[in-house]
Structures are given as structure tokens and as C-alpha cells.
Amino acid sequence: MWLQKRQPVHADDGDPSGLMVAEFRDDGALLDAYSSLGNNYTGLGTGRDRLSHTGINLATQRLEKRELESLYRSSRLIEKAVSLLPADSAKKWGQWKADGNEQLLEGECDRLKIRSAFVEAGTLGRLYGDGYIVLGIDDGLPFEEPVDINAIRSVRFARCLSRYNLQPDGTTGIYSDPTYYLFTQTRQQKDGHELPRRIHGSRVLRFWGKWLPEELLAETGGYHDSVIQALFDALNRYESAIAASAAMTQDYNVFSYKLKGLSQLVAQGNTEALLKRFTSIQMGMSTIKGLMMDAENEDASFISRNFAGVRDIIRELQDAFIAAAEMPRSKLFSGSLSGAFSESGQSDRYEWADCINSYQVDCWQDNLLLAGRYLLAQREGGIGRYPDDLGFTWTSTLQQTQLEIAQLADLNAKTDVAYMGAGVLMPAEVRNSRFGQSEYGQQINLEGELPLVPVEQVREDAIARLIPKQAYYQAAGYRADGFAEQLELEFEEDTRTRADATDW
């Protein structure tokens, strides 16, 4: 990357201004790996090296509204990259912790359709760079005033807006957390609630696309980037490769025709005879599915093109798009059913669950808790206050497969048998904990202290378990009195185990 820098010099050096323009190189980290290597014969590390002329493109074009919308509507890949994350983040939702007011809070969220509003605002944010939910809070104050949480009568509505309808007012506060937003009406709102020109930031929930730091927000007018911005170059390369491959298939076989003296006929201008001959060849291929040629003067063949390596190139371009989208392959490029159970398919499940959890925590959590405080603080429909420990736990989207459920149940069964054999658990505890509810239980609930068992019952239980072993001992060469001795030894061992387990 070539830059220019003015350095002070003496006036008598030829520059009356006292400044001389000097060029210097600043290739940054891109060529650090090559900085210690050079070869004048091959050009490596010199001015003849093509890599030495690689620089950072500072003229990146910011995609405009119509361009973003066109890409979203015309490209299924872009639609998935924008919409899938907010949609899947709301599928399982989660559970409120609201000091016993969880059902009330869930009912208020349903009334305002908070769940669908988060999906819409999140999609708008990823599409345009910023999406918003404006809460219609009735606290007796105008919209340009901060919310008085102790005076909220009701939250009337929750309206979703894009960055083209709501603009951060950079003259108040900072762009990442402005004191005010400026509302621009572009169409008639169906909910019938009118919004003023100026809205206080405490009444707005913000959902960004590609997050930008404050320094870059000052350059973009206060807006974050659309996620499409970073995807565009990778999409362009991938779609171009697909289009080029499709065009190549149309010319997979190229018909080649040789005619003796062809160049002379062309030079003589006898093109009419050539056209008639070509027409007759085409008609013959269409009618009789073959060619009739002069064996001495004509020759025809088909030249097949070699597409080796094209699939690998397209795969690499897919990987570049996947890396830019930060989404699993299975979500962007639908695979076969067998691939879903492969090692990579299982890895995609965990990766996607992590993506959703990060998005929920980073972009949605604070907005949802703020909305929950406002809804609980309502006098109409709320409780007039909100608990200090108000919380929300997201339900994981990672669900076990039937095979994983069966494997875990088998492992639990083996563990339960070992514990019951050692006297740690009772069969009734295992039965009630595992199968006493509508769903299989993963935890064992102890049912108080273990009851004291009389010695006579211990002896009877031991005999009941050991009598079937009599045939085994006899087959092993024990006499009847030998079996009795063995039975007594096992009874004593069983008695000690049960005694230890019951604090005998």
C-alpha cells in the first residue's frame, strides 16, 4: 500500500514551501511473513513480487437500502444468513424468574407479542444494520422524556422499526447509546398509535446487525452494519462460480468440423457453399442421428471439456461464504439426511446452538429484561414494581436425538443397578424418580432415610437371592454342607453391607 507523507526540508533544497513529498511503504501484517525473505532472481520480496503490491481496499462501498432489499429477496443464501438466527433464537424461548409472577409476566409478553417482535426487530437489524422496538409506555410523560418506572400505568404497544425509520441523534450522548432517537414516518402505521419526532432512548430497544465500535459509528452516522455487508464479496465469488459452471455445462461437448481446403473457400468468398454444407450436416444429425461425410476431404468429432477440480473450487468458495456468515454449513447449504448423522453434522448442531446462545445473550438479553421490568411495573396488568433479581433463562435449542436418549437411559440403568446392589438406593426411589412422571427423570430423588431392616428379613432376602446359586456350587464340586458354608459367608457379607447402609 503506497502512501504519501510530507517531510520538512530546507527551502534551498528546491521546495519553496519547505515541505518535500516523500513516498514510503506500509504493507502492514499482510507481508510480515515475507519481510525476511528476498530473491532478486525470482522476484520474491522485491518490487517484482506481485504480493508486494497487495494493499487494503479503503474504498469499500456501503450497500444501500435498495441493494440490501434486492439481495435479501433474490438470494436464498442471504435470506438464510439474515433471518435464520433470529427465528431459531425464539423457537424455544425460555423461562422468567420474577418472584412468583412468572405467569403474569408471560401473559403480558403474549399480549404485546414480544416474542414475534424480537424476531422482527432482530431480522431488521441484521438486514439493515439496526432494528428497533419502540415501547408505548404510558407514564404520564411525553415520549421525549425518560421513562418514570414508578409511574407506569400501562405499556400500550410494541412497534418494530428499522434504521430508516428511527435515527440515533448523535448530538445527544454517544451513538452506541444515544439519549434521543429521531422518528421518520414513511408509511401509515396499522396499530393507530402516532409517534412524535423525538423519542427518548429509555423507550427504545435496539437490535444491531454487525456490531461496530463507537469510532466507526461516528463514520456511519450512528448505524451498525448490515450482516450482508461482510457477506457480499464472498457471495459474489460463489455465485459467479456457480453461474460460470452452469455456462460451461452448455458447452460440455463442442462439435468440431474439418474440411479440406476450407481456408481457400473462405478466401475466395464462397461462403454460400459453406453455409449449405453446414446446414446439411445439422439436418443430418437431427433427421438420421448421424453424419454423412466425404471420407477423403471431411472430418468431424466432438471435443469434451475437462471439468476436473471445479467441484473443489466451488467447495472452497462455499467455505469462504460460511466463514463470513459465521453459521454452520448445514444451515446455509442443506445436506442429505445421512449427513445429519455424520460427525460433521453432529458438530453443526453444537455450533449452531452456541451461535444462538451467543446471539440471545449479547443482543436480546438486556432488551428482554428491560421490557420485563416495564411490564411488571405497570399498574394495569402488572404488580406496580419489579423484583431486583428479575431474570430470564434461555432454553437451549440443542435437543437430544433418540439414539442419545437411549444411550443415556442405558447408562443410567447400569448406574442404578450398581447403587441398588450396594444398598445406596432403594428400588422404589429409582422407580419413582425415573418413571413416576410424564417424562423420563434424569435425577434420583431420595425418599427420606432408609428404613431399618430386621436381621431375619436380611437373612431371608439373602437366601432368596443365593438359593438359585446352589446348582452352580454343586456343579463346581461343593457338597451340601459346603454350599451351606458358602451361603453363610455371603449372608455375613450381605449383612455387613446392609448394616453400613442403614447406620446399623
Side-chain angles (χ1 to χ4, degrees), residues 62 128-130 163 175-177 206 208-226 229-230:
R62 187 180 177 89
Y128 295 120
D130 279 296
R163 54 157 286 192
Y175 281 116
S176 59
D177 187 21
R206 188 176 189 176
W208 59 80
K210 179 182 177 181
W211 182 87
L212 297 179
E214 184 67 26
E215 290 78 5
L216 294 180
L217 290 178
E219 298 179 5
T220 62
Y223 301 116
H224 295 283
D225 272 349
S226 167
Q229 186 72 45

PDB file of all heavy atoms in Angstrom, residues 62 128-130 163 175-177 206 208-226 229-230:
ATOM      1  N   ARG A  62     -20.466   0.959   0.742  1.00  0.00           N
ATOM      2  CA  ARG A  62     -21.507   0.598   1.696  1.00  0.00           C
ATOM      3  C   ARG A  62     -22.803   0.334   0.942  1.00  0.00           C
ATOM      4  O   ARG A  62     -23.264   1.171   0.156  1.00  0.00           O
ATOM      5  CB  ARG A  62     -21.708   1.721   2.713  1.00  0.00           C
ATOM      6  CG  ARG A  62     -22.663   1.362   3.859  1.00  0.00           C
ATOM      7  CD  ARG A  62     -22.791   2.533   4.815  1.00  0.00           C
ATOM      8  NE  ARG A  62     -23.737   2.277   5.881  1.00  0.00           N
ATOM      9  CZ  ARG A  62     -23.441   1.715   7.033  1.00  0.00           C
ATOM     10  NH1 ARG A  62     -22.189   1.357   7.257  1.00  0.00           N
ATOM     11  NH2 ARG A  62     -24.347   1.514   7.965  1.00  0.00           N
ATOM     12  N   TYR A 128     -30.661  -4.434   7.835  1.00  0.00           N
ATOM     13  CA  TYR A 128     -30.309  -3.036   7.587  1.00  0.00           C
ATOM     14  C   TYR A 128     -29.146  -2.524   8.444  1.00  0.00           C
ATOM     15  O   TYR A 128     -28.590  -1.480   8.147  1.00  0.00           O
ATOM     16  CB  TYR A 128     -31.524  -2.151   7.837  1.00  0.00           C
ATOM     17  CG  TYR A 128     -32.673  -2.390   6.881  1.00  0.00           C
ATOM     18  CD1 TYR A 128     -33.920  -2.792   7.351  1.00  0.00           C
ATOM     19  CD2 TYR A 128     -32.515  -2.216   5.511  1.00  0.00           C
ATOM     20  CE1 TYR A 128     -34.984  -3.004   6.486  1.00  0.00           C
ATOM     21  CE2 TYR A 128     -33.571  -2.433   4.638  1.00  0.00           C
ATOM     22  CZ  TYR A 128     -34.802  -2.827   5.135  1.00  0.00           C
ATOM     23  OH  TYR A 128     -35.843  -3.037   4.267  1.00  0.00           O
ATOM     24  N   GLY A 129     -28.830  -3.219   9.504  1.00  0.00           N
ATOM     25  CA  GLY A 129     -27.793  -2.753  10.419  1.00  0.00           C
ATOM     26  C   GLY A 129     -28.324  -2.463  11.806  1.00  0.00           C
ATOM     27  O   GLY A 129     -27.642  -2.687  12.798  1.00  0.00           O
ATOM     28  N   ASP A 130     -29.552  -1.958  11.896  1.00  0.00           N
ATOM     29  CA  ASP A 130     -30.198  -1.684  13.185  1.00  0.00           C
ATOM     30  C   ASP A 130     -31.698  -1.886  13.050  1.00  0.00           C
ATOM     31  O   ASP A 130     -32.317  -1.444  12.071  1.00  0.00           O
ATOM     32  CB  ASP A 130     -29.921  -0.254  13.659  1.00  0.00           C
ATOM     33  CG  ASP A 130     -28.558  -0.097  14.317  1.00  0.00           C
ATOM     34  OD1 ASP A 130     -28.347  -0.715  15.368  1.00  0.00           O
ATOM     35  OD2 ASP A 130     -27.705   0.616  13.748  1.00  0.00           O
ATOM     36  N   ARG A 163     -33.755   1.043  10.821  1.00  0.00           N
ATOM     37  CA  ARG A 163     -32.889   2.212  10.945  1.00  0.00           C
ATOM     38  C   ARG A 163     -33.319   3.331  10.010  1.00  0.00           C
ATOM     39  O   ARG A 163     -32.909   4.480  10.201  1.00  0.00           O
ATOM     40  CB  ARG A 163     -31.451   1.839  10.638  1.00  0.00           C
ATOM     41  CG  ARG A 163     -31.262   1.152   9.296  1.00  0.00           C
ATOM     42  CD  ARG A 163     -29.862   1.275   8.769  1.00  0.00           C
ATOM     43  NE  ARG A 163     -29.594   2.594   8.271  1.00  0.00           N
ATOM     44  CZ  ARG A 163     -28.533   2.922   7.539  1.00  0.00           C
ATOM     45  NH1 ARG A 163     -27.656   1.993   7.230  1.00  0.00           N
ATOM     46  NH2 ARG A 163     -28.342   4.141   7.105  1.00  0.00           N
ATOM     47  N   TYR A 175     -23.298   7.597  19.996  1.00  0.00           N
ATOM     48  CA  TYR A 175     -24.080   6.866  19.001  1.00  0.00           C
ATOM     49  C   TYR A 175     -24.494   5.483  19.486  1.00  0.00           C
ATOM     50  O   TYR A 175     -25.571   5.002  19.160  1.00  0.00           O
ATOM     51  CB  TYR A 175     -23.285   6.743  17.703  1.00  0.00           C
ATOM     52  CG  TYR A 175     -23.303   7.988  16.855  1.00  0.00           C
ATOM     53  CD1 TYR A 175     -22.125   8.691  16.605  1.00  0.00           C
ATOM     54  CD2 TYR A 175     -24.486   8.466  16.302  1.00  0.00           C
ATOM     55  CE1 TYR A 175     -22.128   9.828  15.821  1.00  0.00           C
ATOM     56  CE2 TYR A 175     -24.498   9.618  15.524  1.00  0.00           C
ATOM     57  CZ  TYR A 175     -23.316  10.292  15.281  1.00  0.00           C
ATOM     58  OH  TYR A 175     -23.334  11.424  14.504  1.00  0.00           O
ATOM     59  N   SER A 176     -23.610   4.821  20.240  1.00  0.00           N
ATOM     60  CA  SER A 176     -23.945   3.481  20.701  1.00  0.00           C
ATOM     61  C   SER A 176     -25.043   3.486  21.756  1.00  0.00           C
ATOM     62  O   SER A 176     -25.736   2.482  21.926  1.00  0.00           O
ATOM     63  CB  SER A 176     -22.691   2.790  21.252  1.00  0.00           C
ATOM     64  OG  SER A 176     -22.137   3.545  22.319  1.00  0.00           O
ATOM     65  N   ASP A 177     -25.220   4.570  22.449  1.00  0.00           N
ATOM     66  CA  ASP A 177     -26.279   4.686  23.458  1.00  0.00           C
ATOM     67  C   ASP A 177     -26.796   6.122  23.470  1.00  0.00           C
ATOM     68  O   ASP A 177     -26.574   6.874  24.421  1.00  0.00           O
ATOM     69  CB  ASP A 177     -25.740   4.293  24.836  1.00  0.00           C
ATOM     70  CG  ASP A 177     -26.847   4.235  25.888  1.00  0.00           C
ATOM     71  OD1 ASP A 177     -28.023   4.110  25.511  1.00  0.00           O
ATOM     72  OD2 ASP A 177     -26.519   4.336  27.086  1.00  0.00           O
ATOM     73  N   ARG A 206     -32.923  -1.644  21.129  1.00  0.00           N
ATOM     74  CA  ARG A 206     -32.114  -1.640  19.906  1.00  0.00           C
ATOM     75  C   ARG A 206     -31.559  -3.031  19.614  1.00  0.00           C
ATOM     76  O   ARG A 206     -31.054  -3.715  20.502  1.00  0.00           O
ATOM     77  CB  ARG A 206     -30.965  -0.642  20.045  1.00  0.00           C
ATOM     78  CG  ARG A 206     -30.163  -0.410  18.774  1.00  0.00           C
ATOM     79  CD  ARG A 206     -29.123   0.668  18.982  1.00  0.00           C
ATOM     80  NE  ARG A 206     -28.476   1.068  17.736  1.00  0.00           N
ATOM     81  CZ  ARG A 206     -27.584   2.051  17.643  1.00  0.00           C
ATOM     82  NH1 ARG A 206     -27.236   2.737  18.730  1.00  0.00           N
ATOM     83  NH2 ARG A 206     -27.058   2.359  16.479  1.00  0.00           N
ATOM     84  N   TRP A 208     -28.931  -4.773  16.852  1.00  0.00           N
ATOM     85  CA  TRP A 208     -27.975  -4.470  15.800  1.00  0.00           C
ATOM     86  C   TRP A 208     -27.720  -5.689  14.920  1.00  0.00           C
ATOM     87  O   TRP A 208     -28.049  -6.824  15.259  1.00  0.00           O
ATOM     88  CB  TRP A 208     -26.658  -3.988  16.406  1.00  0.00           C
ATOM     89  CG  TRP A 208     -26.004  -4.961  17.327  1.00  0.00           C
ATOM     90  CD1 TRP A 208     -25.251  -6.045  16.985  1.00  0.00           C
ATOM     91  CD2 TRP A 208     -26.079  -4.966  18.759  1.00  0.00           C
ATOM     92  NE1 TRP A 208     -24.833  -6.718  18.098  1.00  0.00           N
ATOM     93  CE2 TRP A 208     -25.319  -6.069  19.215  1.00  0.00           C
ATOM     94  CE3 TRP A 208     -26.678  -4.138  19.705  1.00  0.00           C
ATOM     95  CZ2 TRP A 208     -25.174  -6.366  20.556  1.00  0.00           C
ATOM     96  CZ3 TRP A 208     -26.529  -4.438  21.043  1.00  0.00           C
ATOM     97  CH2 TRP A 208     -25.787  -5.534  21.456  1.00  0.00           C
ATOM     98  N   GLY A 209     -27.106  -5.417  13.766  1.00  0.00           N
ATOM     99  CA  GLY A 209     -26.705  -6.479  12.847  1.00  0.00           C
ATOM    100  C   GLY A 209     -25.268  -6.860  13.102  1.00  0.00           C
ATOM    101  O   GLY A 209     -24.965  -7.662  13.968  1.00  0.00           O
ATOM    102  N   LYS A 210     -24.347  -6.255  12.348  1.00  0.00           N
ATOM    103  CA  LYS A 210     -22.933  -6.425  12.622  1.00  0.00           C
ATOM    104  C   LYS A 210     -22.493  -5.270  13.510  1.00  0.00           C
ATOM    105  O   LYS A 210     -22.472  -4.116  13.083  1.00  0.00           O
ATOM    106  CB  LYS A 210     -22.118  -6.441  11.324  1.00  0.00           C
ATOM    107  CG  LYS A 210     -20.621  -6.605  11.569  1.00  0.00           C
ATOM    108  CD  LYS A 210     -19.835  -6.568  10.275  1.00  0.00           C
ATOM    109  CE  LYS A 210     -18.332  -6.673  10.565  1.00  0.00           C
ATOM    110  NZ  LYS A 210     -17.531  -6.623   9.328  1.00  0.00           N
ATOM    111  N   TRP A 211     -22.132  -5.585  14.747  1.00  0.00           N
ATOM    112  CA  TRP A 211     -21.814  -4.558  15.734  1.00  0.00           C
ATOM    113  C   TRP A 211     -20.563  -3.792  15.332  1.00  0.00           C
ATOM    114  O   TRP A 211     -19.569  -4.363  14.864  1.00  0.00           O
ATOM    115  CB  TRP A 211     -21.611  -5.219  17.090  1.00  0.00           C
ATOM    116  CG  TRP A 211     -21.334  -4.240  18.192  1.00  0.00           C
ATOM    117  CD1 TRP A 211     -22.247  -3.575  18.955  1.00  0.00           C
ATOM    118  CD2 TRP A 211     -20.035  -3.824  18.648  1.00  0.00           C
ATOM    119  NE1 TRP A 211     -21.607  -2.765  19.852  1.00  0.00           N
ATOM    120  CE2 TRP A 211     -20.242  -2.893  19.693  1.00  0.00           C
ATOM    121  CE3 TRP A 211     -18.742  -4.140  18.274  1.00  0.00           C
ATOM    122  CZ2 TRP A 211     -19.197  -2.300  20.360  1.00  0.00           C
ATOM    123  CZ3 TRP A 211     -17.689  -3.533  18.934  1.00  0.00           C
ATOM    124  CH2 TRP A 211     -17.926  -2.618  19.971  1.00  0.00           C
ATOM    125  N   LEU A 212     -20.612  -2.475  15.521  1.00  0.00           N
ATOM    126  CA  LEU A 212     -19.471  -1.609  15.251  1.00  0.00           C
ATOM    127  C   LEU A 212     -19.125  -0.810  16.501  1.00  0.00           C
ATOM    128  O   LEU A 212     -20.030  -0.416  17.248  1.00  0.00           O
ATOM    129  CB  LEU A 212     -19.782  -0.637  14.102  1.00  0.00           C
ATOM    130  CG  LEU A 212     -20.068  -1.229  12.726  1.00  0.00           C
ATOM    131  CD1 LEU A 212     -20.382  -0.125  11.734  1.00  0.00           C
ATOM    132  CD2 LEU A 212     -18.896  -2.069  12.233  1.00  0.00           C
ATOM    133  N   PRO A 213     -17.852  -0.548  16.742  1.00  0.00           N
ATOM    134  CA  PRO A 213     -17.469   0.280  17.895  1.00  0.00           C
ATOM    135  C   PRO A 213     -17.840   1.743  17.668  1.00  0.00           C
ATOM    136  O   PRO A 213     -18.197   2.158  16.553  1.00  0.00           O
ATOM    137  CB  PRO A 213     -15.946   0.087  17.973  1.00  0.00           C
ATOM    138  CG  PRO A 213     -15.539  -0.276  16.590  1.00  0.00           C
ATOM    139  CD  PRO A 213     -16.674  -1.059  16.011  1.00  0.00           C
ATOM    140  N   GLU A 214     -17.731   2.528  18.714  1.00  0.00           N
ATOM    141  CA  GLU A 214     -18.163   3.925  18.673  1.00  0.00           C
ATOM    142  C   GLU A 214     -17.420   4.720  17.602  1.00  0.00           C
ATOM    143  O   GLU A 214     -18.012   5.579  16.938  1.00  0.00           O
ATOM    144  CB  GLU A 214     -17.950   4.560  20.053  1.00  0.00           C
ATOM    145  CG  GLU A 214     -18.447   5.994  20.171  1.00  0.00           C
ATOM    146  CD  GLU A 214     -19.962   6.088  20.070  1.00  0.00           C
ATOM    147  OE1 GLU A 214     -20.638   5.094  20.405  1.00  0.00           O
ATOM    148  OE2 GLU A 214     -20.463   7.144  19.644  1.00  0.00           O
ATOM    149  N   GLU A 215     -16.120   4.455  17.411  1.00  0.00           N
ATOM    150  CA  GLU A 215     -15.349   5.206  16.420  1.00  0.00           C
ATOM    151  C   GLU A 215     -15.903   5.018  15.021  1.00  0.00           C
ATOM    152  O   GLU A 215     -15.979   5.965  14.227  1.00  0.00           O
ATOM    153  CB  GLU A 215     -13.879   4.772  16.462  1.00  0.00           C
ATOM    154  CG  GLU A 215     -13.136   5.198  17.713  1.00  0.00           C
ATOM    155  CD  GLU A 215     -13.459   4.317  18.912  1.00  0.00           C
ATOM    156  OE1 GLU A 215     -14.204   3.309  18.732  1.00  0.00           O
ATOM    157  OE2 GLU A 215     -13.005   4.624  20.025  1.00  0.00           O
ATOM    158  N   LEU A 216     -16.321   3.794  14.683  1.00  0.00           N
ATOM    159  CA  LEU A 216     -16.880   3.549  13.360  1.00  0.00           C
ATOM    160  C   LEU A 216     -18.313   4.041  13.256  1.00  0.00           C
ATOM    161  O   LEU A 216     -18.760   4.434  12.175  1.00  0.00           O
ATOM    162  CB  LEU A 216     -16.814   2.053  13.033  1.00  0.00           C
ATOM    163  CG  LEU A 216     -15.409   1.467  12.877  1.00  0.00           C
ATOM    164  CD1 LEU A 216     -15.476  -0.017  12.545  1.00  0.00           C
ATOM    165  CD2 LEU A 216     -14.637   2.211  11.801  1.00  0.00           C
ATOM    166  N   LEU A 217     -19.055   4.020  14.361  1.00  0.00           N
ATOM    167  CA  LEU A 217     -20.422   4.552  14.324  1.00  0.00           C
ATOM    168  C   LEU A 217     -20.427   6.029  13.977  1.00  0.00           C
ATOM    169  O   LEU A 217     -21.350   6.522  13.318  1.00  0.00           O
ATOM    170  CB  LEU A 217     -21.109   4.326  15.681  1.00  0.00           C
ATOM    171  CG  LEU A 217     -21.467   2.888  16.040  1.00  0.00           C
ATOM    172  CD1 LEU A 217     -22.088   2.825  17.438  1.00  0.00           C
ATOM    173  CD2 LEU A 217     -22.436   2.302  15.019  1.00  0.00           C
ATOM    174  N   ALA A 218     -19.405   6.739  14.406  1.00  0.00           N
ATOM    175  CA  ALA A 218     -19.323   8.163  14.074  1.00  0.00           C
ATOM    176  C   ALA A 218     -19.161   8.366  12.569  1.00  0.00           C
ATOM    177  O   ALA A 218     -19.581   9.386  12.024  1.00  0.00           O
ATOM    178  CB  ALA A 218     -18.150   8.806  14.821  1.00  0.00           C
ATOM    179  N   GLU A 219     -18.564   7.386  11.880  1.00  0.00           N
ATOM    180  CA  GLU A 219     -18.386   7.487  10.436  1.00  0.00           C
ATOM    181  C   GLU A 219     -19.619   7.050   9.661  1.00  0.00           C
ATOM    182  O   GLU A 219     -19.816   7.485   8.528  1.00  0.00           O
ATOM    183  CB  GLU A 219     -17.189   6.634  10.003  1.00  0.00           C
ATOM    184  CG  GLU A 219     -15.860   7.073  10.615  1.00  0.00           C
ATOM    185  CD  GLU A 219     -14.721   6.180  10.162  1.00  0.00           C
ATOM    186  OE1 GLU A 219     -14.975   5.289   9.310  1.00  0.00           O
ATOM    187  OE2 GLU A 219     -13.585   6.368  10.648  1.00  0.00           O
ATOM    188  N   THR A 220     -20.449   6.191  10.241  1.00  0.00           N
ATOM    189  CA  THR A 220     -21.630   5.674   9.544  1.00  0.00           C
ATOM    190  C   THR A 220     -22.902   6.435   9.897  1.00  0.00           C
ATOM    191  O   THR A 220     -23.988   6.039   9.469  1.00  0.00           O
ATOM    192  CB  THR A 220     -21.832   4.186   9.871  1.00  0.00           C
ATOM    193  OG1 THR A 220     -22.060   4.035  11.290  1.00  0.00           O
ATOM    194  CG2 THR A 220     -20.619   3.369   9.474  1.00  0.00           C
ATOM    195  N   GLY A 221     -22.792   7.492  10.672  1.00  0.00           N
ATOM    196  CA  GLY A 221     -23.981   8.227  11.069  1.00  0.00           C
ATOM    197  C   GLY A 221     -24.712   7.606  12.242  1.00  0.00           C
ATOM    198  O   GLY A 221     -25.891   7.910  12.483  1.00  0.00           O
ATOM    199  N   GLY A 222     -24.037   6.716  12.980  1.00  0.00           N
ATOM    200  CA  GLY A 222     -24.643   6.121  14.168  1.00  0.00           C
ATOM    201  C   GLY A 222     -25.219   4.742  13.951  1.00  0.00           C
ATOM    202  O   GLY A 222     -25.796   4.172  14.874  1.00  0.00           O
ATOM    203  N   TYR A 223     -25.085   4.184  12.731  1.00  0.00           N
ATOM    204  CA  TYR A 223     -25.685   2.895  12.435  1.00  0.00           C
ATOM    205  C   TYR A 223     -24.638   1.792  12.417  1.00  0.00           C
ATOM    206  O   TYR A 223     -23.506   1.998  11.976  1.00  0.00           O
ATOM    207  CB  TYR A 223     -26.377   2.919  11.068  1.00  0.00           C
ATOM    208  CG  TYR A 223     -27.474   3.951  10.954  1.00  0.00           C
ATOM    209  CD1 TYR A 223     -27.359   5.003  10.055  1.00  0.00           C
ATOM    210  CD2 TYR A 223     -28.614   3.858  11.738  1.00  0.00           C
ATOM    211  CE1 TYR A 223     -28.360   5.947   9.942  1.00  0.00           C
ATOM    212  CE2 TYR A 223     -29.620   4.799  11.632  1.00  0.00           C
ATOM    213  CZ  TYR A 223     -29.486   5.843  10.735  1.00  0.00           C
ATOM    214  OH  TYR A 223     -30.469   6.771  10.629  1.00  0.00           O
ATOM    215  N   HIS A 224     -25.062   0.617  12.865  1.00  0.00           N
ATOM    216  CA  HIS A 224     -24.238  -0.571  12.701  1.00  0.00           C
ATOM    217  C   HIS A 224     -24.360  -1.069  11.259  1.00  0.00           C
ATOM    218  O   HIS A 224     -25.218  -0.624  10.499  1.00  0.00           O
ATOM    219  CB  HIS A 224     -24.673  -1.658  13.682  1.00  0.00           C
ATOM    220  CG  HIS A 224     -24.461  -1.287  15.122  1.00  0.00           C
ATOM    221  ND1 HIS A 224     -23.233  -1.313  15.723  1.00  0.00           N
ATOM    222  CD2 HIS A 224     -25.326  -0.866  16.077  1.00  0.00           C
ATOM    223  CE1 HIS A 224     -23.340  -0.937  16.988  1.00  0.00           C
ATOM    224  NE2 HIS A 224     -24.607  -0.655  17.228  1.00  0.00           N
ATOM    225  N   ASP A 225     -23.505  -2.013  10.889  1.00  0.00           N
ATOM    226  CA  ASP A 225     -23.528  -2.548   9.529  1.00  0.00           C
ATOM    227  C   ASP A 225     -24.539  -3.670   9.391  1.00  0.00           C
ATOM    228  O   ASP A 225     -24.801  -4.421  10.344  1.00  0.00           O
ATOM    229  CB  ASP A 225     -22.146  -3.086   9.147  1.00  0.00           C
ATOM    230  CG  ASP A 225     -21.255  -2.013   8.549  1.00  0.00           C
ATOM    231  OD1 ASP A 225     -21.780  -0.917   8.241  1.00  0.00           O
ATOM    232  OD2 ASP A 225     -20.047  -2.255   8.415  1.00  0.00           O
ATOM    233  N   SER A 226     -25.076  -3.805   8.188  1.00  0.00           N
ATOM    234  CA  SER A 226     -25.853  -4.993   7.853  1.00  0.00           C
ATOM    235  C   SER A 226     -24.916  -6.193   7.790  1.00  0.00           C
ATOM    236  O   SER A 226     -23.750  -6.074   7.404  1.00  0.00           O
ATOM    237  CB  SER A 226     -26.549  -4.801   6.508  1.00  0.00           C
ATOM    238  OG  SER A 226     -27.058  -6.039   6.023  1.00  0.00           O
ATOM    239  N   GLN A 229     -23.234  -6.838   4.450  1.00  0.00           N
ATOM    240  CA  GLN A 229     -22.068  -6.072   4.012  1.00  0.00           C
ATOM    241  C   GLN A 229     -20.816  -6.954   3.959  1.00  0.00           C
ATOM    242  O   GLN A 229     -20.058  -6.926   2.983  1.00  0.00           O
ATOM    243  CB  GLN A 229     -21.840  -4.897   4.959  1.00  0.00           C
ATOM    244  CG  GLN A 229     -20.743  -3.937   4.537  1.00  0.00           C
ATOM    245  CD  GLN A 229     -21.135  -3.084   3.353  1.00  0.00           C
ATOM    246  OE1 GLN A 229     -22.234  -2.554   3.303  1.00  0.00           O
ATOM    247  NE2 GLN A 229     -20.239  -2.954   2.391  1.00  0.00           N
ATOM    248  N   ALA A 230     -20.596  -7.734   4.999  1.00  0.00           N
ATOM    249  CA  ALA A 230     -19.404  -8.589   5.054  1.00  0.00           C
ATOM    250  C   ALA A 230     -19.559  -9.856   4.219  1.00  0.00           C
ATOM    251  O   ALA A 230     -18.570 -10.530   3.926  1.00  0.00           O
ATOM    252  CB  ALA A 230     -19.103  -8.968   6.504  1.00  0.00           C
TER     253      ALA A 230
END
